[in-house]
Amino acid sequence: MPKKKNNNAVKSLSLYVVVILIILGAILFSSASKPKVHEFTYDELIKNISNEKVEKLEVTPNANYSTYIIVGKLEGYKKNESFTVYVPYSDSTINKILDYSDSSKFEVKVNKDPRSEQWIAIIFEGILPIALVVGCVFFFFNKVSSGNNKSMDFGRSTAKLNMDGGKVKFTDVAGLKEEKEEVAELIDFLKSPKKFQKLGARIPKGVLLVGPPGTGKTLLAKAVAGEANVPFYYISGSDFVELFVGVGASRVRDMFKEAKRNAPCLIFIDEIDAVGRQRGTGIGGGHDEREQTLNQLLTEMDGFGANEGIIIIAATNRPDVLDPALLRPGRFDRQVTVNYPDTEEREQILGVHARNKKFSSDVSLKNLSKRTPGFSGADLENLLNEAALLAVRRDKEAIGMDEIDEATDRVLMGPAKESRKITDKEKQLVSLHEAGHAVIGIKLEDAQDVHKITIIPRGMAGGYTMMLPKDEKMNISTKNELLAQITGLLGGRVSEELYFGEISTGASDDFAKATRIARAMVTEYGMSELGPVQLEEKQGNVFLGRDYAKDKNFSDAVALEIDTEVRKIMDECYKKATKILKDNKKLVYLISDTLIEHETITKEEIDELVSTGKISKYEEEKKEEKKIKTEKKEEKEEEE
């Protein structure tokens, strides 16, 4: 062990010695390679020239010191060795040295006189830096004053201006006949305000467009601006709200200031509920920044100042959360409800979105409009776009009904999971479940029409039955219609229990929908033995769980009665569904077997199946297949 320690010590010592030698070598090399310069006087230079010891001279005028710097080499000098001489700055001096060079035959190099380029150096070294600094300062202040500096414009409005109002016209807005009439007065006022002022009429300062998402509120506002052909400011309600308190209010002031310069004009605020929610709500007070912004908006719309010629159009799908001060006359004087389109309006909307698309002869937009109740304008546009994409994917030259059917299912339920493997037992269960829904819809008088049945999985569903209202009507339902909906929803579970011998989890969503309808009948619609009393309200506190809780104005005893009534409605509908399905056992199995074989059947096929017990299209296909098999068999026998 000691011997090993000695070896380590020797190695460490040798390493230090090597490092020291390397450092000493570097020092000696640097000192050896360092240039060696001798300083001569002018007389010594002349003496060496006379003795012909000078090999080379380089003369450089130095204007700052009024001298010549002469660098040269003598005979016997090493590579890094030279001498330097400073002589007075005069033409006679340099001429004398040049005369010596001609006689002594040594090399002389005379560099250019720097005085000719002195003014360039003065510009680059003195004037140019000052000019750059002054230019930068001027540019910065110019940007700040013009408002283009993004770091200084927190309080400036972010509303975008379209001077010509835009390209959208009323012809581009299908349907919405009454809604367009309501806003047409705004266009007349913007075009000829004197006509209204003559009779003392005051045009609404603000119009609030209310309706579900996708119904065309923003499109209608664009059409108003396009028809009026006036400057059109558009901004989202969320653009007013910032991290810094006071920025939103400043942006509101700046927006109205800019609008006054371009009056008459339109201001469109989309999703105004982002900034116009009720004040003083929530635990611990409201949001200071949002409330300050709302207060400024209220003041600008109808305060001490006048905003003549400025009309505000706002859109929201949550009018229930808006502050009452925002909705009073003088601010948003008029509310226009933009609701879901009816059959005729859906046909017109489909016609607008079908302009640049090519359809096959079997496609009827009128029939398609009847099959899409509850679709918004955005849904219809998406439906036709999905159909076009499917046609391209299938290498078709035109969009057919197959693509439209598939697109409808995609919009409602999502894409089909055709690659998913389904066992025969699962397929039978799903087919019986959907057949139960369908038979209730077919046999129950107040039930909705069955338009399509499929057992192809889509989204979270293993299959579904599309049921649509028999007639287009307002959003009003009778008690019998609501009970028929509950009975139809329970038909899937009843069919499983009766004809499959087991029950599954597939009816959970049906139960949720049925229970929701039954509870609303008891607590909101007064359709139970508790009488015409509203016990629960849909609207709750603005920020305290509006969508999660309902206002309950009843005791625990009444709560028990509500649960009893809900259970009673559900039990009665379950018994009715059981009776209908028992009486139509053959139809349940017929629909189930057809679904197992073909997976999807449409309304026309369902009607034919109910009336004749078969579908002619599939029967002809079977006959054709049987004929082909027979011909092949006969050909084979002849060959043998």
Side-chain angles (χ1 to χ4, degrees), residues 279-297:
R279 293 166 292 178
T281 50
I283 299 174
H287 190 302
D288 287 340
E289 162 64 3
R290 184 186 55 76
E291 290 197 2
Q292 286 189 24
T293 307
L294 175 58
N295 291 338
Q296 187 62 47
L297 182 61

Side-chain angles (χ1 to χ4, degrees), residues 6 11 17 37 96 99 109 132 139 146 158 161 164 171 264 399 430 453 527 540 551 553 563 588:
N6 291 335
K11 287 181 179 179
V17 171
V37 180
K96 190 175 182 179
D99 292 340
K109 181 182 179 184
L132 287 174
F139 179 77
S146 64
T158 58
L161 173 62
D164 60 355
T171 53
I399 304 170
V430 175
I453 316 170
M527 296 179 178
D551 290 337
N553 303 315
D563 293 340
V588 172

Side-chain angles (χ1 to χ4, degrees), residues 237-518:
S238 59
D239 289 335
F240 291 114
V241 183
E242 280 287 353
L243 173 66
F244 307 105
V245 176
V247 173
S250 176
R251 288 182 176 178
V252 172
R253 287 191 295 270
D254 188 66
M255 181 179 69
F256 278 89
K257 182 180 177 182
E258 291 291 326
K260 287 176 185 178
R261 294 176 185 172
N262 294 292
C265 67
L266 283 169
I267 296 177
F268 176 60
I269 305 175
D270 201 7
E271 305 297 344
I272 195 173
D273 52 277
V275 71
R277 285 176 175 254
Q278 293 179 22
R279 293 166 292 178
T281 50
I283 299 174
H287 190 302
D288 287 340
E289 162 64 3
R290 184 186 55 76
E291 290 197 2
Q292 286 189 24
T293 307
L294 175 58
N295 291 338
Q296 187 62 47
L297 182 61
L298 296 174
T299 304
E300 292 290 344
M301 288 188 70
D302 189 25
F304 283 102
N307 289 318
E308 296 297 335
I310 300 175
I311 297 177
I312 301 173
I313 301 177
T316 181
N317 46 41
R318 296 294 302 273
D320 51 326
V321 303
L322 295 179
D323 194 272
L326 197 63
L327 302 176
R328 74 158 175 82
R331 289 185 178 131
F332 283 106
D333 306 85
R334 185 175 296 177
Q335 291 189 30
V336 179
T337 301
V338 185
N339 217 324
Y340 289 113
D342 58 19
T343 306
E344 292 183 3
E345 291 175 331
R346 287 196 299 273
E347 185 179 355
Q348 295 172 14
I349 293 170
L350 288 168
V352 170
H353 296 304
R355 286 174 182 172
N356 60 342
K357 295 178 176 63
K358 187 177 180 180
F359 294 91
S360 60
S361 57
D362 63 333
V363 175
S364 171
L365 296 182
K366 186 174 183 179
N367 292 337
L368 181 58
S369 67
K370 294 178 181 179
R371 296 174 52 186
T372 51
F375 275 52
S376 66
D379 292 331
L380 294 171
E381 180 186 10
N382 188 34
L383 188 151
L384 291 184
N385 186 60
E386 286 288 340
L389 292 174
L390 284 169
V392 173
R393 196 179 304 168
R394 295 172 179 177
D395 294 328
K396 290 191 174 182
E397 295 182 358
I399 304 170
M401 277 307 298
D402 290 341
E403 286 74 37
I404 289 178
D405 286 338
E406 176 65 20
T408 306
D409 294 339
R410 280 172 169 267
V411 172
L412 291 173
M413 303 292 293
K417 298 181 180 179
E418 296 178 353
S419 60
R420 179 180 171 185
K421 294 182 179 179
I422 304 174
T423 62
D424 293 339
K425 183 179 179 181
E426 188 177 8
K427 202 169 186 179
Q428 185 182 8
L429 171 65
V430 175
S431 66
L432 286 169
H433 181 102
E434 300 304 331
H437 289 308
V439 170
I440 298 293
I442 294 167
K443 295 298 181 180
L444 193 59
E445 183 179 353
D446 293 308
Q448 296 179 335
D449 278 346
V450 182
H451 277 253
K452 188 175 184 179
I453 316 170
T454 180
I455 59 172
I456 298 174
R458 288 181 182 273
M460 300 299 294
Y464 76 97
T465 302
M466 182 190 293
M467 301 181 73
L468 301 175
K470 294 178 181 178
D471 299 309
E472 191 93 15
K473 59 180 182 178
M474 295 178 63
N475 192 21
I476 297 175
S477 299
T478 64
K479 181 178 179 180
N480 287 335
E481 289 173 345
L482 293 175
L483 291 173
Q485 286 186 40
I486 297 172
T487 305
L489 289 167
L490 297 176
R493 166 57 66 86
V494 174
S495 180
E496 291 178 12
E497 189 176 4
L498 288 177
Y499 303 118
F500 191 72
E502 287 186 67
I503 55 176
S504 69
T505 59
S508 60
D509 186 56
D510 299 331
F511 292 158
K513 292 177 181 176
T515 306
R516 197 179 304 123
I517 296 170

Side-chain angles (χ1 to χ4, degrees), residues 533-561:
V533 181
Q534 189 176 53
L535 300 170
E536 290 180 347
E537 296 181 8
K538 289 182 179 179
Q539 296 182 355
N541 295 318
V542 178
F543 295 114
L544 302 180
R546 173 191 294 276
D547 298 323
Y548 301 100
K550 294 182 179 180
D551 290 337
K552 298 179 180 180
N553 303 315
F554 49 82
S555 64
D556 292 340
V558 176
L560 179 60
E561 292 183 29

Side-chain angles (χ1 to χ4, degrees), residues 55-120:
E55 292 183 347
K56 183 170 65 171
L57 289 178
E58 184 176 354
V59 183
T60 304
N62 187 350
N64 293 333
Y65 297 98
S66 300
T67 58
Y68 280 111
I69 302 173
I70 301 175
V71 179
K73 295 180 76 69
L74 298 181
E75 291 180 358
Y77 272 14
K78 296 179 180 178
K79 188 176 182 181
N80 61 340
E81 193 175 1
S82 63
F83 67 84
T84 305
V85 181
Y86 292 91
V87 299
Y89 191 92
S90 65
D91 293 337
S92 60
T93 304
I94 193 64
N95 289 333
K96 190 175 182 179
I97 292 173
L98 290 173
D99 292 340
Y100 278 121
S101 69
D102 292 338
S103 60
S104 301
K105 306 297 183 184
F106 60 84
E107 182 184 349
V108 177
K109 181 182 179 184
V110 181
N111 293 326
K112 193 175 181 181
D113 189 344
R115 287 178 298 179
S116 61
E117 299 179 355
Q118 190 172 4
W119 64 275
I120 299 176

Side-chain angles (χ1 to χ4, degrees), residues 199-228:
L199 296 177
R202 180 181 64 82
I203 202 70
K205 290 186 177 180
V207 176
L208 183 65
L209 303 178
V210 179
T215 50
K217 300 183 293 295
T218 304
L219 186 65
L220 185 61
K222 290 180 181 179
V224 172
E227 291 287 342

